[in-house]
Amino acid sequence: MPGNIVSRRELLRYASGAVALSGFPNLTSMIAAAQTAGERPNILFIFADDHACRAIGAYGSKVNKTPNIDRIASEGALFENSFCTNSICAPSRAVVLTGRYSHLNGVMTNAEAFDGSQPTYPQILRAAGYQTATIGKWHLKSDPTGFDFWNVLPGQGEYYNPDFMTPKGKVRREGYATDIITDLSLEWMKSRDPGKPFLLHCWHKAPHRSWMPGPTHLTTYDDAEIPEPSTLFDDYADRASPARNHEMGIARHMNLPVDLKVTPPLTGNPLSGPLAIEQYRRMNERQRKLWDAAYVPKNEAFRKENPQGDDLVRWKYRRYMQDYLGCIASVDDGVGRLLAYLDESGLAKNTIVIYCSDQGFYLGEHGWFDKRWIYEESLRMPLMIRWPEVIKAGTRVKEMVQNLDYAPTFCEVAGVKPSDGFQGVSMKSLMAGEHPADWRKSIYYHYCERGVHNVAPHYGLRTERFTMAHFYMTDEWELFDLEKDPLQMKSVYADPAYAGTVKELKDELTRLREKYGDTKGA
Ligand code: SGN
Ligand code: CA
């Protein structure tokens, strides 16, 4: 394993004040320096699940408005080239926490349990005097470590009246998940010790599949204009075989009763309508009444219209987007409430607010929903950071950053030395408007899961101009020239005109695999 990582024992001894962490010899003086230079900043980390850039106003959305999320970008920085290392939930979260690639942090797919004894930024910040809390989606199978307070959804969690895991056991909370996660975050900020800086994770479940909007946004997008992506009817003709073998198509893999809420008609039978579907049985009477009032007439109209073929795909796309965007509307409301509290309480100036999502998502591009591929829509993570003391309002960062960079960034802004094992680079200089000459010019990616949605494992890289992928199970390669083909419709891997580029990129890929210590999939 490259680098020395701090052992759990060391962390515990450090947290108890017994010793200084090895590799952290100047921690006390660094903290003192940070304190004299000004108070250490608070960190409010708002994380959505599957929120694509295309559904964020600040990223130029043509399908919805997100005024509150956009505030973070207009009053802070928007990262134009922010990427994940493995486009799936639990792996992305493990990379965020540890600053290490999946093959080193142990969470390669959604199946592995996270080993919470490895160094993470919450543990490091907590040991350095931060109050820490994580609220909402966690999805790492083991209990959170490094937090003074945690209330997390089991697994994917539920949208309506969700259960939360707490140190004292399971608690069911009445209400809509996004609103509850926001409420708990506000309550925690209000009740914390004001004498210490804080790190708060407000980690939403929304807008994850099956995209169930909350009671206040059940009809928000009913009449909205929602343009279709030009690649909705992609036939994958000019790519390697994996794209064709997908199981994430709006046409063939999105189901009517759960994904699209076309529940059976209400017949008076106690288990008719939504109640015929397990997912809706958690709702209380009030929630169900609102749901039925919104969906029953829409579903009757659908049955009457009875669209077929491409018209059905178009109908499904539209319903999918209405629900997905409805979920985001509640996230945006929640962001508004959190920002309002920071304003009212005077915390806004010295609190770093981050908004991002665990990966990107397909909103009909290439005919798909879901994520996983190295292609743009799922590779990109939205990332916006507000920190009035350091970031100039309206900053746009063009350098390529990754979820790997969050842990070192949080350590640097807190004035704490990062773990030697972190593989990312702190983004603080970028936040301050600098353009370090030696900033990375390529990013490394490796998706490993097999099974759901049938996306073949692949590793690859993206540079400013190219994306290259190796689907190693079938030894197929793809190369996209993003300058000429931004929608990635034609692989030019076999085009002789790109032979030199292929060679250069393969060398770079070998360098990246060595640098990050990845030998899997060779
Ligand atoms: C569930 C979803 C999948 C999704 C995975 C992983 N199916 O299995 O569509 O890809 O989660 O998502 S569902 O019918 O149960 O909703 S992730 O964001 O947690 O990685
Ligand atoms: Ca996700």
Side-chain angles (χ1 to χ4, degrees):
M1 267 192 218
N4 301 320
I5 57 171
V6 181
S7 75
R8 175 171 168 73
R9 229 172 106 207
E10 270 181 300
L11 265 174
L12 289 177
R13 288 175 68 214
Y14 175 77
S16 71
V19 289
L21 280 176
S22 60
F24 289 61
N26 298 320
L27 190 58
T28 319
S29 55
M30 283 177 71
I31 292 171
Q35 277 166 337
T36 43
E39 278 174 34
R40 287 184 288 166
N42 306 303
I43 300 172
L44 169 57
F45 182 172
I46 309 166
F47 210 24
D49 191 1
D50 296 357
H51 192 174
C53 294
R54 190 159 82 89
I56 297 182
Y59 278 93
S61 173
K62 293 192 173 64
V63 296
N64 66 338
K65 293 196 165 51
T66 49
N68 296 300
I69 296 170
D70 298 351
R71 247 190 89 186
I72 301 172
S74 62
E75 295 172 10
L78 178 142
F79 289 74
E80 293 180 2
N81 292 299
S82 152
F83 304 102
C84 57
T85 62
N86 181 358
S87 181
I88 180 168
C89 181
S92 176
R93 284 155 209 265
V95 169
V96 164
L97 289 166
T98 63
R100 292 163 73 72
Y101 269 92
S102 308
H103 59 277
L104 297 182
N105 70 42
V107 183
M108 309 276 294
T109 73
N110 274 343
E112 296 89 19
F114 180 64
D115 170 5
S117 71
Q118 57 191 312
T120 61
Y121 67 81
Q123 294 186 63
I124 295 171
L125 263 58
R126 188 183 188 209
Y130 269 71
Q131 292 165 88
T132 56
T134 194
I135 295 166
K137 185 163 175 182
W138 181 247
H139 201 201
L140 287 167
K141 290 196 158 76
S142 54
D143 285 350
T145 54
F147 297 98
D148 298 308
F149 177 90
W150 53 270
N151 259 231
V152 297
L153 301 169
Q156 297 284 5
E158 299 286 347
Y159 274 113
Y160 279 84
N161 309 325
D163 291 328
F164 282 81
M165 306 304 295
T166 78
K168 291 189 185 141
K170 196 153 80 175
V171 184
R172 181 181 160 124
R173 296 184 188 276
E174 202 74 358
Y176 182 62
T178 306
D179 301 337
I180 297 171
I181 292 165
T182 303
D183 289 342
L184 288 172
S185 300
L186 284 165
E187 274 165 35
W188 186 83
M189 281 196 285
K190 288 175 186 167
S191 62
R192 82 207 151 81
D193 172 358
K196 290 179 173 177
F198 69 82
L199 162 72
L200 170 59
H201 285 174
C202 172
W203 284 14
H204 287 295
K205 165 190 173 55
H208 192 275
R209 192 181 185 188
S210 55
W211 318 294
M212 290 171 81
T216 47
H217 288 293
L218 293 167
T219 55
T220 302
Y221 287 91
D222 276 11
D223 301 318
E225 218 183 287
I226 307 178
E228 285 166 11
S230 61
T231 60
L232 183 60
F233 293 97
D234 191 356
D235 62 3
Y236 323 107
D238 294 316
R239 270 144 290 168
S241 70
R244 280 191 290 284
N245 297 331
H246 74 86
E247 291 176 4
M248 49 192 273
I250 291 179
R252 289 190 296 125
H253 307 101
M254 195 173 251
N255 68 65
L256 283 174
V258 179
D259 288 334
L260 297 166
K261 293 87 186 171
V262 184
T263 47
L266 281 172
T267 60
N269 174 324
L271 282 186
S272 68
L275 278 183
I277 313 285
E278 179 63 34
Q279 214 130 2
Y280 303 97
R281 287 195 210 141
R282 293 187 75 87
M283 289 181 183
N284 62 35
E285 217 180 305
R286 193 188 71 86
Q287 293 163 340
R288 209 176 303 132
K289 265 197 184 145
L290 289 168
W291 186 275
D292 286 347
Y295 281 91
V296 168
K298 292 193 256 192
N299 289 343
E300 276 166 11
F302 166 73
R303 286 190 192 94
K304 214 181 261 167
E305 189 188 333
N306 194 21
Q308 302 292 322
D310 286 356
D311 288 343
L312 179 59
V313 175
R314 296 205 150 95
W315 185 90
K316 288 170 94 176
Y317 165 75
R318 184 168 167 80
R319 171 64 68 89
Y320 161 41
M321 291 299 288
Q322 286 169 334
D323 293 341
Y324 178 87
L325 299 174
C327 291
I328 290 168
S330 289
V331 173
D332 192 63
D333 292 344
V335 171
R337 289 165 61 209
L338 293 168
L339 295 181
Y341 172 69
L342 295 180
D343 288 339
E344 284 154 24
S345 61
L347 286 168
K349 195 161 166 254
N350 199 30
T351 298
I352 301 175
V353 181
I354 291 121
Y355 186 87
C356 55
S357 166
D358 57 350
Q359 2 74 202
F361 211 67
Y362 292 91
L363 306 183
E365 298 91 351
H366 304 291
W368 291 336
F369 62 96
D370 214 66
K371 50 257 176 179
R372 299 161 193 271
W373 306 94
I374 193 174
Y375 311 140
E376 292 293 281
E377 293 83 354
S378 43
L379 180 67
R380 286 182 175 275
M381 290 169 76
L383 176 63
M384 286 160 265
I385 307 182
R386 188 184 78 171
W387 185 10
E389 298 220 318
V390 170
I391 304 175
K392 210 168 131 229
T395 297
R396 308 282 292 205
V397 178
K398 295 203 183 315
E399 282 81 357
M400 294 199 277
V401 301
Q402 292 173 281
N403 48 353
L404 200 62
D405 301 327
Y406 297 9
T409 304
F410 295 148
C411 287
E412 188 182 5
V413 300
V416 187
K417 187 178 179 295
S419 159
D420 290 340
F422 287 168
Q423 296 180 305
V425 184
S426 170
M427 302 181 285
K428 187 168 176 231
S429 59
L430 304 177
M431 286 152 63
E434 291 165 26
H435 303 286
D438 59 350
W439 194 264
R440 67 168 75 85
K441 301 280 186 281
S442 61
I443 57 145
Y444 177 62
Y445 181 86
H446 191 166
Y447 168 79
C448 325
E449 189 167 287
R450 275 184 254 173
V452 62
H453 297 302
N454 201 34
V455 173
H458 55 289
Y459 60 75
L461 85 174
R462 189 197 187 280
T463 63
E464 202 184 315
R465 177 162 171 193
F466 295 102
T467 295
M468 189 165 80
H470 184 209
F471 296 91
Y472 47 85
M473 307 297 292
T474 50
D475 195 17
E476 289 176 90
W477 292 80
E478 284 181 336
L479 172 67
F480 296 97
D481 183 341
L482 298 168
E483 211 172 272
K484 296 196 175 137
D485 177 26
L487 301 179
Q488 299 176 299
M489 297 296 281
K490 186 179 169 55
S491 168
V492 290
Y493 180 76
D495 182 339
Y498 287 89
T501 304
V502 166
K503 174 151 188 344
E504 268 168 39
L505 292 178
K506 280 193 174 172
D507 289 347
E508 178 63 0
L509 191 53
T510 304
R511 186 188 73 80
L512 291 172
R513 279 172 62 79
E514 277 168 19
K515 171 178 163 137
Y516 294 120
D518 190 7
T519 53
K520 294 202 162 70

